[in-house]
Protein backbone atom coordinates (compact mmCIF):
# COMPACT_ATOMS: atom_id res chain seq x y z
CA UNK A 1 0.00 0.00 0.00
CA UNK A 2 1.23 3.42 -0.90
CA UNK A 3 -0.04 5.33 2.11
CA UNK A 4 -2.29 5.37 5.08
CA UNK A 5 -5.90 6.34 4.53
CA UNK A 6 -8.07 9.02 6.05
CA UNK A 7 -10.14 8.79 9.20
CA UNK A 8 -13.86 9.24 9.61
CA UNK A 9 -15.40 7.11 6.88
CA UNK A 10 -15.07 3.74 8.56
CA UNK A 11 -12.50 0.99 8.50
CA UNK A 12 -12.60 0.88 4.67
CA UNK A 13 -11.05 4.36 4.68
CA UNK A 14 -8.23 3.72 7.13
CA UNK A 15 -5.61 2.33 4.74
CA UNK A 16 -4.18 3.40 1.42
CA UNK A 17 -4.34 2.16 -2.14
CA UNK A 18 -4.51 -1.63 -2.54
CA UNK A 19 -3.38 -1.50 -6.18
CA UNK A 20 -0.71 -4.02 -7.00
CA UNK A 21 -1.51 -6.40 -4.17
CA UNK A 22 -2.77 -9.86 -5.03
CA UNK A 23 -6.25 -10.98 -4.07
CA UNK A 24 -4.71 -13.28 -1.43
CA UNK A 25 -2.63 -10.45 0.05
CA UNK A 26 -5.71 -8.23 0.21
CA UNK A 27 -7.75 -11.05 1.74
CA UNK A 28 -5.16 -11.59 4.48
CA UNK A 29 -4.81 -7.85 5.11
CA UNK A 30 -8.55 -7.13 5.33
CA UNK A 31 -9.19 -10.07 7.64
CA UNK A 32 -6.85 -8.31 10.08
CA UNK A 33 -9.46 -5.54 10.33
CA UNK A 34 -12.22 -7.99 11.25
CA UNK A 35 -13.79 -8.21 7.80
CA UNK A 36 -16.44 -10.81 7.09
CA UNK A 37 -16.29 -12.15 3.52
CA UNK A 38 -19.15 -12.88 1.16
CA UNK A 39 -18.64 -14.08 -2.43
CA UNK A 40 -21.44 -13.64 -4.94
CA UNK A 41 -22.29 -16.04 -7.75
CA UNK A 42 -20.92 -13.44 -10.17
CA UNK A 43 -17.50 -13.50 -8.53
CA UNK A 44 -17.73 -10.28 -6.52
CA UNK A 45 -15.96 -10.49 -3.16
CA UNK A 46 -17.41 -8.30 -0.42
CA UNK A 47 -15.46 -7.53 2.74
CA UNK A 48 -17.80 -6.10 5.37
CA UNK A 49 -16.21 -4.55 8.45
CA UNK A 50 -17.70 -4.35 11.95
CA UNK A 51 -18.66 -0.68 11.34
CA UNK A 52 -20.56 -1.71 8.15
CA UNK A 53 -18.11 -0.05 5.79
CA UNK A 54 -17.21 -2.30 2.85
CA UNK A 55 -14.60 -3.15 0.28
CA UNK A 56 -15.91 -4.91 -2.81
CA UNK A 57 -13.56 -6.49 -5.31
CA UNK A 58 -15.12 -6.97 -8.70
CA UNK A 59 -14.26 -10.02 -10.84
CA UNK A 60 -11.86 -7.87 -12.92
CA UNK A 61 -9.96 -6.81 -9.76
CA UNK A 62 -11.44 -3.32 -9.46
CA UNK A 63 -11.80 -2.19 -5.85
CA UNK A 64 -14.92 -0.36 -4.67
CA UNK A 65 -14.95 1.22 -1.21
CA UNK A 66 -18.18 2.07 0.60
CA UNK A 67 -18.10 4.24 3.74
CA UNK A 68 -19.63 3.28 7.06
CA UNK A 69 -23.23 4.52 7.18
CA UNK A 70 -23.85 7.86 8.87
CA UNK A 71 -27.26 8.96 10.06
CA UNK A 72 -28.90 12.31 10.76
CA UNK A 73 -30.99 13.01 13.87
CA UNK A 74 -34.08 11.54 12.15
CA UNK A 75 -32.29 8.26 11.45
CA UNK A 76 -31.88 8.88 7.71
CA UNK A 77 -28.68 7.54 6.14
CA UNK A 78 -26.93 10.72 4.96
CA UNK A 79 -24.13 9.07 3.00
CA UNK A 80 -26.06 6.31 1.22
CA UNK A 81 -24.66 5.63 -2.23
CA UNK A 82 -21.39 7.44 -1.63
CA UNK A 83 -18.07 5.86 -2.44
CA UNK A 84 -14.54 6.28 -1.17
CA UNK A 85 -11.45 7.03 -3.19
CA UNK A 86 -8.35 4.86 -3.00
CA UNK A 87 -7.05 7.10 -0.21
CA UNK A 88 -10.25 6.60 1.81
CA UNK A 89 -11.69 10.07 1.23
CA UNK A 90 -15.31 10.56 0.23
CA UNK A 91 -15.79 10.96 -3.51
CA UNK A 92 -18.25 13.58 -4.69
CA UNK A 93 -20.89 11.77 -6.74
CA UNK A 94 -23.23 14.72 -7.34
CA UNK A 95 -22.59 18.31 -8.34
CA UNK A 96 -23.88 21.27 -6.32
CA UNK A 97 -27.22 21.05 -8.16
CA UNK A 98 -27.70 17.37 -7.26
CA UNK A 99 -26.86 16.05 -10.72
CA UNK A 100 -24.82 12.82 -10.91
CA UNK A 101 -21.15 13.26 -11.79
CA UNK A 102 -20.09 10.65 -14.35
CA UNK A 103 -17.26 8.20 -13.70
CA UNK A 104 -17.13 8.83 -9.97
CA UNK A 105 -17.31 5.17 -9.03
CA UNK A 106 -14.10 4.12 -10.78
CA UNK A 107 -10.99 5.17 -8.85
CA UNK A 108 -8.44 3.07 -10.71
CA UNK A 109 -7.73 1.01 -7.59
CA UNK A 110 -7.23 -2.59 -8.70
CA UNK A 111 -5.84 -5.81 -7.26
CA UNK A 112 -4.18 -8.56 -9.25
CA UNK A 113 -4.79 -12.31 -9.37
Amino acid sequence: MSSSGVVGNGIASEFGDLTGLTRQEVNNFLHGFGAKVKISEGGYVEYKFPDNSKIIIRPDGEVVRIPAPRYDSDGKNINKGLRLGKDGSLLPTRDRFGNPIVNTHNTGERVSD
Side-chain angles (χ1 to χ4, degrees), residues 26-81:
V26 169
N27 186 64
N28 295 343
F29 178 72
L30 296 180
H31 271 100
F33 288 91
K36 302 288 185 214
V37 181
K38 183 170 76 174
I39 302 171
S40 74
E41 285 185 31
Y44 289 75
V45 181
E46 176 185 282
Y47 294 89
K48 187 174 183 179
F49 299 102
D51 63 5
N52 291 324
S53 64
K54 297 177 188 177
I55 298 266
I56 299 168
I57 300 179
R58 294 179 171 161
D60 66 0
E62 183 178 359
V63 176
V64 177
R65 296 182 188 222
I66 299 172
R70 292 180 46 204
Y71 303 94
D72 66 13
S73 59
D74 295 328
K76 182 180 177 192
N77 184 336
I78 58 174
N79 65 349
K80 185 176 177 86

